Amino acid sequence: MQSTVVETEKIEKPIRILLIEDNPGDARLIREMLIEAGTVKFDVIQIESLREAFKILDEEYFDVVLSDLGLPDSWGLDTFVRLHTHAPEMPIIVLTGLNDESIGTEAVREGAQDYLVKGHVDGDLLSRTTKYAIERKRVEEDLLMEKKFSDSVINSLPGVFYLFDNKGQLLRWNKNAEKISGYSHEEIKNMNILDFFSGEEKKIMAEELQEVVAKGEATAEAKLTAKSGNEIPHFFTGLRTIISERLYLVGMGMDITEIKRMEEALRESEEKYRNLVERANDGIVIIQDGSFKFANSMMAKMLGYEIEDLEEEKLLNFVSPDFKDRVKENYESRQKGKNAPTHLELEFIRKDGKILYTDVNMAMIEREGRPADLVFIRDVSERKRAEKERERLNEEIYEKNKELEQIVYVASHDLRSPLLNVQGFSKELKYSMEELSSLLNDDQVPPEVQNKLKPIFEEDIPETLEFIQTSILKMDTLLGGLLRLSRLGRAALEFEDLDMNSMLSEIEKSFEFRVKEAGMNLSIGELPPCVGDAVQINQVFSNLVDNALKYRDPEKEGFIKITGVREGDQVVYCVEDNGIGIPERHLKDVFIIFHRVGQSTVEGEGLGLSLISKILSRNNGKIWVESEEGVGSKFFVSLPVTSDDDTT
Ligand code: ADP
């Protein structure tokens, strides 16, 4: 191996040349020629075989290789091919003989930078060729780098990249284009951009392309038709560009399947909600800053307006004056984050001036980044009207009742005095008749007259008078009963917590004698307290115990059992006996005034149970009965529990 540094003044860094030449004469000639050129400093290292070349190329840096093709270990074009394969990035100039110049041309085709024909070279040509070879290789390398870089950029793009000429012929595209379309590189090479579209969209895209050519750029949404026939929605961009005075179009396509799917899902869900809101039977509105930002058609209908009439209008403009303060207060507390009711009863004024009664429910939502109210408004006008009607009827019934009681009171009270007169005069009539009958016994009265009148005076008239007397008594009892009943309705009540154990033990005491006399057993269980008027409730239980005594079965050993249990907000007491019981057909009538089951043997007015029933209804209680003829009866009384009784 020989090394020569060929010095020149102009360039400091020498060009390192690897000269592969086994002919020493040729080698010397080349070195001398390089000196002769004199413009550049060359550092020439000469070796003689391909094997040596491989070794030194692996170890050292060279700017260029000058290689003879006929070497001891390699011959002809093969020498170049092997050398080029070993060091692909190295610029190689092939040296050929006069006879084998064609090999030089072939070598250039295979990648050699140039060839020189030995014997036809001078210093200048050799120096220039060498420099150009190095330069060309560098430019080639740069271009390659540039291409590699742009390839990697294009391939790393998320979508499809394409470059095509003004006829639509594809020139460059990225890997994604192959992956997404399913076409191979070879297939795409021969394809036109419009081959990726089908049907109507092919036409549209052709027009779009015209637009890019005309305007310089355009975008379009279209479905890319893959080789498989799959249609994939894409968003395409196109840009007109001029390269080497020729027009090209470049652009990208982004897969928008997911966006489309989301748009569709959003559209569906919006439609679903719109349907829900529009078909709702309630008014649904969004209120922000006190104004309607949205109202469904039901709301507009309820108020008698068109939807447009409500938009941006103040809610308060539609609220009835009596309710404005309530709405304002509620709104302000909600604004301040205070706990305000989310459910209100509100009255609105309709366009026709009528009142719209509503139940309102609201929830805080966010609208355009600020708080707003989503409000559901239910028209309860029907219910309100029914409630008002019921109230009115109740009032009317109450008034009528009072009136009736008054009539009953006046009638029963005032009828009593004429009745007393009738009673008095019938008594007087009786005395007169007795006098008459003693006069009849006088001897002066002829016997046939006596015989005729005696049965009238002594039997018919006294019998009639007896009937009159009993009827008067009966009527008096009835009037007395009516009077008591009407007084009951007028009596002032004093509700208090009642200790039923002590009340019933008092009642027990007052009945002690009669119970004993009747040979009965009265037992009283533990009784929960209740609320009521002490005098009246006492009367209820006294009456029930009295009835149990009156309607006992003399054939049996009688008992009366009083118990009580709490059931929810009521206490249910039971007065049970094993008396004669009530036939089923009479059960519902026993609470009707003057109704008796027909026991003439037992004294009574048929008034007790109707009094009890009235008392209980005034004391917020109830009475009902279960009974079986010949077995016994159970009278149930329910009354409200005391407020502080939390036992269950
Ligand atoms: P009265 O006892 O004055 O007839 P009530 O109104 O107290 O009037 O009772 C109405 C009717 O109900 C009674 O006539 C009687 O037939 C029936 N009755 C009431 N309590 C009992 C009972 N404990 N056992 C059987 N029958 C009863």
Side-chain angles (χ1 to χ4, degrees), residues 303 305 348-356:
L303 285 171
Y305 287 93
F348 289 87
I349 305 287
R350 286 173 44 92
K351 192 179 182 184
D352 58 14
K354 286 192 185 141
I355 294 180
L356 169 73

Side-chain angles (χ1 to χ4, degrees), residues 547-548 550-551 577 580-582 590 595-597 599 604-610 633 635:
N547 276 356
K550 280 201 307 192
Y551 302 106
D577 65 50
I580 58 172
I582 304 165
V590 291
H595 184 92
R596 306 206 64 218
V597 182
Q599 309 85 341
E605 304 162 319
L607 193 64
L609 288 179
S610 44
S633 311
F635 282 87

Side-chain angles (χ1 to χ4, degrees), residues 537-556:
I537 302 303
N538 188 309
Q539 193 181 337
V540 167
F541 284 92
S542 301
N543 243 317
L544 290 175
V545 173
D546 184 46
N547 276 356
L549 273 165
K550 280 201 307 192
Y551 302 106
R552 69 179 178 275
D553 185 348
E555 305 293 312
K556 285 190 255 181

